[in-house]
Amino acid sequence: MEFSLFYFSGDGSTTNRDKYRLLIEGAKFADRHGLAAVWIPERHFDAFGGLYPNPAVAGAAIAALTDNIQIRSGSVVMPLQDPLRVAEEWAMVDNLSQGRVGLSFAPGWHPNDFVLYPAKYADKKDIMWRDIQVFQRLWQGESIELIGGNGKSVSINTFPRPLQPQVPIWITSLSDESFIEAGKIGANILTSPLYQSLDEILRKITLYRQSLAQSGRDPQSGKVAMMIHTFIGTDLESVKIKVKQPFKNYLKTHFDLVVRSAGDLRFSIDPNTMTARDLDDLLEFSFETYFNGKVLMGTPAYCRSLVDSLQQAGVDEVAALIDFGVEFDWVMESLDLLKDLNDTYTSNHHLKTLV
């Protein structure tokens, strides 16, 4: 099991000067202490996640501050991009980082994001799979034929040339279809437990590894990373107090998660008739639901047991989402315990290798 840091939930609406402090300090911590990677999302037009409209720009900053960790998009929303620009920008980051780039791709989901390219919304998944192939060709130095401003066909290559001959590719996946399609192209998987149970994750990973095998690849060659909200502390009640309101705020922003947690017990929810008290009661219930098994929040012993369960389900990497509103100093203290967790699994791996 490997461990990485995932960023997503920063509030982009503030005007303070330290908006990227946790991104920067967390990345430097991860680099010093042997974590695998830092993931930076692509988010648009919403304060929630709005710190990260361009993961390549953030990745370039991290490249200049680190020496070891992989720098990954989590994710590039391919239908909102031109594969030419994706190849150019990330080749720059690959050079600045001495070959440490990894890219996860997603089709996008929020219709408001597609004000950039409204016509692409209906076919966003097909466009993603198509343009990943175009991106890979460009990354490997191939040219593609396009129409220039004068209406004539022109052969285009992208520059600078990247250091890695092939960039590690991930697919942000929740559906059976995306797990299977990722296996067909030999991509890795980035997923989350918030929308699925461990049994569902195991089933989908099994489909993924079968797809890898059916495509003529080693079924164990693909990696599965699990994005999971993370905060570790020495005392469970203290952890709960520190994360409760920030995570309830997260759930309020992602109301579909609240509905899902309530739906598990067949609650009937009509947002139009809910009072403020109803909403708070529902958020309280939803928080308890996710706190008990869907997030990596608790003591080191509890977190080890959850990581073991994820490992048994076929997960290879915990992508610890740390910027969901908990105070900076508390998060950095939590990272010390995440480092210890990483060291535990690294030591166990070395012992098994020696045996």
Side-chain angles (χ1 to χ4, degrees):
M1 182 67 76
E2 293 185 311
F3 293 82
S4 55
L5 299 185
F6 199 103
Y7 292 83
F8 188 87
S9 307
D11 181 357
S13 66
T14 61
T15 56
N16 69 71
R17 294 177 178 270
D18 292 327
K19 284 194 281 287
Y20 294 99
R21 185 183 180 195
L22 185 56
L23 173 67
I24 297 302
E25 295 304 321
K28 291 193 290 189
F29 181 96
D31 196 58
R32 287 195 306 270
H33 295 293
L35 274 65
V38 170
W39 302 81
I40 313 149
E42 178 185 335
R43 292 281 291 150
H44 297 287
F45 317 128
D46 196 305
F48 191 78
L51 285 181
Y52 310 111
N54 191 324
V57 172
I62 291 172
L65 298 169
T66 59
D67 298 305
N68 305 301
I69 52 170
Q70 195 167 60
I71 300 167
R72 300 183 189 146
S73 67
S75 306
V76 170
V77 183
M78 200 54 152
L80 301 183
Q81 308 295 334
D82 188 312
L84 289 164
R85 293 294 288 143
V86 177
E88 287 179 331
E89 292 177 2
W90 283 99
M92 282 189 68
V93 182
D94 201 52
N95 279 276
L96 290 168
S97 66
Q98 298 298 305
R100 291 185 280 130
V101 159
L103 296 178
S104 187
F105 292 102
W109 60 279
H110 202 296
N112 292 357
D113 293 354
F114 282 80
V115 296
L116 294 167
Y117 293 103
K120 291 185 175 183
Y121 184 71
D123 300 317
K124 57 187 182 296
K125 289 185 178 179
D126 290 340
I127 291 169
M128 179 192 74
W129 295 115
R130 180 198 71 195
D131 283 354
I132 287 173
Q133 293 180 346
V134 175
F135 162 80
Q136 288 176 305
R137 288 171 55 199
L138 292 166
W139 187 274
Q140 293 163 15
E142 295 183 33
S143 61
I144 60 173
E145 295 293 321
L146 296 168
I147 303 299
N150 58 5
K152 296 180 180 179
S153 179
V154 59
S155 182
I156 294 294
N157 294 86
T158 55
F159 300 96
R161 297 298 313 129
L163 296 185
Q164 296 181 94
Q166 289 189 323
V167 65
I169 285 181
W170 308 69
I171 304 297
T172 304
S173 305
L174 283 173
S175 68
D176 289 11
E177 176 194 16
S178 57
F179 274 75
I180 292 168
E181 291 298 319
K184 287 181 180 178
I185 68 169
N188 302 308
I189 292 284
L190 173 63
T191 191
S192 166
L194 292 179
Y195 292 92
Q196 50 193 340
S197 68
L198 279 177
D199 286 342
E200 289 176 301
I201 291 166
L202 175 60
R203 181 182 61 78
K204 292 173 185 178
I205 292 174
T206 300
L207 291 174
Y208 168 62
R209 301 215 181 276
Q210 288 173 348
S211 179
L212 284 167
Q214 289 165 3
S215 303
R217 297 178 173 88
D218 178 355
Q220 300 306 314
S221 63
K223 292 182 66 175
V224 177
M226 180 68 67
M227 184 279 290
I228 184 167
H229 291 71
T230 300
F231 187 86
I232 308 174
T234 55
D235 175 75
L236 181 61
E237 281 307 307
S238 176
V239 167
K240 194 169 187 178
I241 289 168
K242 290 173 180 177
V243 303
K244 187 171 188 177
Q245 195 56 50
F247 195 68
K248 283 173 69 175
N249 292 341
Y250 172 87
L251 290 168
K252 187 176 181 179
T253 306
H254 283 66
F255 193 74
D256 54 336
L257 287 177
V258 178
V259 173
R260 176 174 289 266
S261 66
D264 289 343
L265 293 181
R266 293 184 173 83
F267 278 90
S268 177
I269 296 176
D270 182 356
N272 297 318
T273 63
M274 290 183 69
T275 66
R277 176 63 184 271
D278 291 336
L279 177 59
D280 192 65
D281 287 345
L282 187 56
L283 288 171
E284 186 76 19
F285 169 79
S286 191
F287 169 76
E288 293 293 340
T289 300
Y290 286 106
F291 188 76
N292 293 294
K294 291 277 193 177
V295 290
L296 196 65
M297 298 179 189
T299 63
Y302 168 77
C303 291
R304 276 196 301 273
S305 67
L306 181 54
V307 171
D308 285 344
S309 297
L310 292 173
Q311 197 167 36
Q312 289 166 12
V315 175
D316 304 295
E317 178 178 319
V318 169
L321 195 160
I322 61 170
D323 69 333
F324 58 97
V326 179
E327 289 186 23
F328 173 84
D329 289 340
W330 292 346
V331 176
M332 295 307 293
E333 290 174 5
S334 172
L335 288 185
D336 283 326
L337 296 175
L338 183 66
K339 167 197 168 295
D340 293 343
L341 199 60
N342 178 64
D343 291 346
T344 297
Y345 283 87
T346 302
S347 299
N348 288 345
H349 175 72
H350 288 329
L351 285 173
K352 289 177 182 177
T353 303
L354 289 172
V355 172

